[in-house]
Amino acid sequence: RGSVNSCRFASVDRDLMLTASGDHEIHIWKYLIDETKDDDDDETNENLCQTIRSPILALKGDDVISCADWLQRDHLVSASWD
């Protein structure tokens, strides 16, 4: 797999993230953060860290994707080395 070259969080859907990488793919990830947790409770905050292993969508390009960003909730823009 290639390196992650770009990471952008969606401004409309706060639980979506977009990554562009050297493996010629753009991935859209969904994560959830429980904002009701108390910041002063360190033991509880340790449990907030999540490992997300599978994207909800993968888009394949022809070359290394150098960057990507959201235009709208359902539109994105990307640039590659080709």
Side-chain angles (χ1 to χ4, degrees):
R1 293 224 169 239
S3 62
V4 174
N5 299 325
S6 176
C7 176
R8 296 287 187 255
F9 294 90
S11 61
V12 176
D13 269 336
R14 294 175 37 131
D15 61 344
L16 292 179
M17 180 176 60
L18 172 70
T19 58
S21 61
D23 63 358
H24 305 194
E25 292 187 338
I26 295 172
H27 293 124
I28 297 177
W29 307 86
K30 186 172 183 83
Y31 63 94
L32 298 173
I33 297 175
D34 187 355
E35 295 179 355
T36 62
K37 298 289 184 184
D38 183 10
D39 289 338
D40 295 332
D41 188 0
D42 290 335
E43 187 174 318
T44 303
N45 287 339
E46 289 178 13
N47 296 329
L48 292 177
C49 182
Q50 299 178 7
T51 301
I52 303 170
R53 300 187 188 281
S54 299
I56 60 172
L57 180 65
L59 304 169
K60 186 77 171 166
D62 293 328
D63 206 341
V64 172
I65 310 293
S66 56
C67 61
D69 203 351
W70 299 96
L71 291 178
Q72 299 174 6
R73 184 190 187 302
D74 57 351
H75 291 83
L76 57 94
V77 62
S78 65
S80 66
W81 288 2
D82 62 350

